[in-house]
Amino acid sequence: MAWHPTMTTIRPACPLDAARICAIYNHYVDGTTISFEEAPVSAADMAARIADVIDGGLPWLVLTDGDAIIGYAYATKWRARPAYRHAVESTIYLDAALAGQGHGMRLYASLLDALRTRGLHTVIAGIAQPNARSVRLHERLGFAKVAHFSEVGFKLGMWLDVGYWQMRLTPG
């Protein structure tokens, strides 16, 4: 599937998008270490996740090519305690067949803009290692690596590291 920039749009997600979002996400759940989930997510569970993010006042965006959802990005609270209310964790997934074509940059930039309009101060991204493509995307957008945890996940018969990248959304 080739990218046609004039045909792609970014819009807010809704729970009705859950099945297509699952189709994108479950590819990463089933056969990669990019997601630490170990079982595919159902459309009903994904719809609940989308609703929770939206009900929490945070953005969940989808990138569409015509009527087809080809990627999504969203933010969740970083931690529950009140002092963390200005920090969020970001997530982005693209249809695997479309990676490396500029979609991630455009979608992520829209997510960051949506976070800035909400007055948030910092965004944090956890990236399972190794994942050079995701690291490159985050660093091109202005994220900097701030932490690395060794062997904190176990999936597909191996111990996995997670690195954390952070970006300030507002002057500090």
Side-chain angles (χ1 to χ4, degrees):
M1 184 182 295
W3 177 30
H4 305 287
T6 57
M7 296 173 50
T8 61
T9 58
I10 296 170
R11 64 166 173 80
C14 70
L16 295 175
D17 297 324
R20 178 62 186 135
I21 288 171
C22 282
I24 293 169
Y25 182 57
N26 286 334
H27 161 80
Y28 296 98
V29 171
D30 283 338
T32 78
T33 57
I34 291 172
S35 168
F36 279 15
E37 285 202 67
E38 296 180 316
V41 177
S42 72
D45 286 343
M46 188 62 75
R49 292 178 189 190
I50 294 166
D52 286 346
V53 167
I54 294 168
D55 291 348
L58 293 171
W60 188 311
L61 304 175
V62 294
L63 176 67
T64 63
D65 186 354
D67 291 334
I69 293 172
I70 59 173
Y72 66 95
Y74 65 94
T76 56
K77 291 180 185 179
W78 170 242
R79 299 275 182 155
R81 302 242 192 290
Y84 290 114
R85 70 187 169 276
H86 302 287
V88 293
E89 183 171 5
S90 58
T91 300
I92 184 169
Y93 285 95
L94 296 174
D95 182 310
L98 299 172
Q101 297 181 33
H103 295 293
M105 194 74 134
R106 182 169 170 239
L107 179 57
Y108 219 138
S110 293
L111 178 67
L112 296 172
D113 288 344
L115 295 172
R116 285 184 188 98
T117 65
R118 286 164 171 79
L120 294 160
H121 180 66
T122 193
V123 58
I124 300 157
I127 305 172
Q129 297 297 299
N131 189 339
R133 183 173 273 163
S134 186
V135 168
R136 197 167 39 254
L137 172 64
H138 284 83
E139 290 180 351
R140 284 181 180 161
L141 285 163
F143 284 75
K145 189 173 185 181
V146 295
H148 189 102
F149 298 104
S150 296
E151 299 184 0
V152 294
F154 188 82
K155 185 175 176 185
L156 300 179
M158 66 184 99
W159 288 104
L160 302 164
D161 295 359
V162 175
Y164 282 90
W165 277 254
Q166 180 180 3
M167 177 204 281
R168 279 199 196 144
L169 297 166
T170 59

